Amino acid sequence: MSAGGSLREVSRRAVQSRIARTAESLFAEKGFEETTVDEIAEAVGMSQRSFFRYFASKDEVVFDSLERLSEELAQRLAARPLEEPAWDSLRRSFDPVAERFADPEHRDHDAAIQRIIDRSPRLLSAYLGRLERLQRALTDALVARSVRRAERGQDVVVLRAMVGGACACLHAATVHAGADPEVFGPSLDRAMEALRPAEV
Amino acid sequence: MSAGGSLREVSRRAVQSRIARTAESLFAEKGFEETTVDEIAEAVGMSQRSFFRYFASKDEVVFDSLERLSEELAQRLAARPLEEPAWDSLRRSFDPVAERFADPEHRDHDAAIQRIIDRSPRLLSAYLGRLERLQRALTDALVARSVRRAERGQDVVVLRAMVGGACACLHAATVHAGADPEVFGPSLDRAMEALRPAEV
DNA sequence: CCGGAAGCGTCAGTGACTGTCAAACATTAC
DNA sequence: GTAATGTTTGACAGTCACTGACGCTTCCGG
């Protein structure tokens, strides 16, 4: 379980990044569905079989960077002070997303990925599946926090719905902002202010 | 565009229902991934090619009934009185879902479908994709209503987030309730009460 | 130098899906 | 009744994502 530091893990990640970068440029160029795994593998210079040794599916390549962002969000939430209202903790745990919008390097990359996703209904579904997993992780964090605060009354359904609502704000802001960092932050704040739950 | 009344449309729907019923029992029996389209087609008594003439994909069979429920929800929302707060309109447009939980016939069917979906990550993603489409429809309805109320201030992002929040409540209640109708209604109400936006 | 472990390519196979074509069938026109 | 017309179907072949098996190489500790 020791967090991925072993030499071999590192080189594995390097190869994955190389594949991801290559694939993304192909996807951006010709579209996701129109790009075959064979083409990606050839562009990288490996066999199709090896491609599937680094990614379990063609979809996963697209979410390579997103996956790590998700983990970061969940960790952020868990690290928030106990006394902070849950809704604010959720908002603050979304900060890394806003930061990525601010950084030109990440922004262009993320915008490209988002364009790829938006053009493929299948990828959009897969993306929402990831988001659902993120929501489970965030809900778990909120439940754990509620236990640590020794709250009895907290209702799992409400926590779950709250996380869903917060992620809906995130999603709405992302969709609405496109790649514009000036729009994203304010949109997210407006949405989350409007949906803020009364108490908790 | 005349809503599906033509003789041919009706018989088409009949065949689709027959396929769906057959497929669902196979899925429930052996699981979604483990059931091949060939098996479904043979059980129905048609070629694989014909199966794909009635459903664009294996996934679609599972969502056959859900799709019509979605349409009903969107229509309900559009039919709600203009002066009703948006959040209440959303809650009321979810009533058909609760009604289905109450009806034993539908409940068992829906519970079976939900079990099938829950067992397959791929189907879960597809399901979320449908939910996203529903959200778009609901958002459109709210936007149209906001226009008809001649409101200037309404913010698309906020409306979008509100719909997302409401659907998150619906989803949370569904997941939490399993097949228990006694749990679903109260869960949905608690979640939606907790997330109710301040105004609008 | 030898042993095994790890990474890789090749090959063969499955299953979802698509295009094409020709036969079967029903529909309507005459 | 028959011919023309259109719709529905099965058969066949092909693509693409993905998987399992096998055998080769490379690298590393003993």
Side-chain angles (χ1 to χ4, degrees):
Chain A
M1 274 298 168
S2 72
S6 97
L7 220 96
R8 198 158 269 132
E9 286 298 316
V10 170
S11 92
R12 181 180 168 81
R13 274 243 43 92
V15 177
Q16 280 174 331
S17 308
R18 217 178 77 231
I19 298 175
R21 275 200 309 274
T22 311
E24 279 157 23
S25 75
L26 285 175
F27 291 156
E29 196 184 314
K30 325 186 352 178
F32 178 77
E33 323 274 6
E34 289 71 26
T35 308
T36 70
V37 174
D38 280 322
E39 287 168 342
I40 302 171
E42 201 199 330
V44 179
M46 57 170 54
S47 70
Q48 195 215 50
R49 195 70 187 82
S50 282
F51 172 94
F52 284 111
R53 286 191 177 103
Y54 288 96
F55 290 99
S57 73
K58 192 178 156 189
D59 296 4
E60 278 207 4
V61 187
V62 179
F63 302 117
D64 181 51
S65 52
L66 230 85
E67 202 63 19
R68 270 164 292 166
L69 183 59
S70 273
E71 284 162 22
E72 195 184 342
L73 300 198
Q75 282 169 12
R76 286 262 181 149
L77 180 58
R80 286 265 109 200
L82 274 183
E83 62 279 10
E84 188 177 51
W87 194 250
D88 293 309
S89 296
L90 282 166
R91 173 62 190 85
R92 288 276 76 78
S93 63
F94 292 162
D95 278 341
V97 182
E99 285 163 23
R100 281 178 78 119
F101 267 89
D103 173 14
E105 171 122 14
H106 271 143
R107 183 185 58 223
D108 294 346
H109 177 256
D110 290 1
I113 297 232
Q114 205 184 320
R115 224 173 304 119
I116 295 169
I117 295 176
D118 285 341
R119 286 193 216 276
S120 158
R122 171 141 162 277
L123 268 187
L124 180 60
S125 290
Y127 168 73
L128 294 169
R130 304 284 165 147
L131 215 87
E132 168 80 10
R133 277 177 45 197
L134 170 63
Q135 289 186 35
R136 282 195 226 274
L138 295 179
T139 306
D140 289 347
L142 280 195
V143 169
R145 159 212 196 93
S146 159
V147 168
R148 273 170 50 223
R149 290 208 284 186
E151 285 164 349
R152 285 279 126 218
Q154 273 304 354
D155 186 337
V156 192
V157 182
V158 170
L159 288 180
R160 178 73 231 248
M162 203 188 296
V163 169
C167 286
C169 294
L170 182 65
H171 186 56
T174 309
V175 169
H176 185 251
D180 191 342
E182 307 292 320
V183 174
F184 177 78
S187 295
L188 178 59
D189 283 326
R190 263 179 2 250
M192 288 199 72
E193 235 12 86
L195 276 208
R196 170 187 291 281
E199 52 206 302
V200 179
Chain B
M1 276 293 170
S2 70
S6 98
L7 220 96
R8 200 159 267 131
E9 285 298 318
V10 169
S11 91
R12 181 179 169 80
R13 273 241 43 91
V15 177
Q16 280 175 331
S17 307
R18 217 178 77 230
I19 298 175
R21 276 200 308 274
T22 310
E24 278 158 23
S25 74
L26 285 175
F27 291 156
E29 197 184 312
K30 327 183 355 178
F32 178 77
E33 324 273 7
E34 290 71 26
T35 307
T36 70
V37 174
D38 280 322
E39 287 168 344
I40 302 170
E42 201 199 329
V44 179
M46 57 170 52
S47 68
Q48 195 216 51
R49 195 67 188 83
S50 282
F51 171 94
F52 283 112
R53 286 190 178 105
Y54 288 97
F55 291 100
S57 74
K58 192 179 154 189
D59 295 5
E60 277 208 5
V61 188
V62 179
F63 302 117
D64 181 53
S65 53
L66 230 86
E67 201 63 17
R68 269 163 293 165
L69 183 59
S70 273
E71 285 162 23
E72 195 184 341
L73 300 199
Q75 282 169 12
R76 287 260 182 152
L77 180 58
R80 287 264 108 200
L82 274 184
E83 63 280 9
E84 188 177 51
W87 194 251
D88 292 309
S89 295
L90 283 166
R91 174 62 191 84
R92 287 277 76 79
S93 64
F94 292 162
D95 280 340
V97 183
E99 285 163 23
R100 280 177 79 118
F101 266 89
D103 173 15
E105 171 120 15
H106 270 141
R107 183 185 58 221
D108 294 346
H109 177 256
D110 290 1
I113 297 233
Q114 204 184 319
R115 223 173 305 119
I116 295 169
I117 294 176
D118 285 341
R119 286 192 216 278
S120 158
R122 168 138 164 280
L123 268 187
L124 180 60
S125 290
Y127 168 73
L128 294 169
R130 303 284 164 147
L131 216 89
E132 169 79 10
R133 276 176 46 196
L134 170 62
Q135 288 186 35
R136 281 194 226 275
L138 294 179
T139 306
D140 288 346
L142 280 195
V143 169
R145 161 211 194 94
S146 157
V147 168
R148 276 174 43 226
R149 290 208 284 188
E151 285 166 346
R152 285 278 127 222
Q154 273 305 354
D155 185 336
V156 192
V157 182
V158 170
L159 288 180
R160 178 72 230 247
M162 203 187 297
V163 169
C167 286
C169 294
L170 181 66
H171 186 56
T174 309
V175 169
H176 185 251
D180 192 341
E182 306 292 319
V183 175
F184 177 77
S187 296
L188 179 59
D189 283 327
R190 272 191 341 263
M192 289 199 71
E193 234 12 86
L195 276 208
R196 170 185 291 279
E199 53 208 302
V200 180

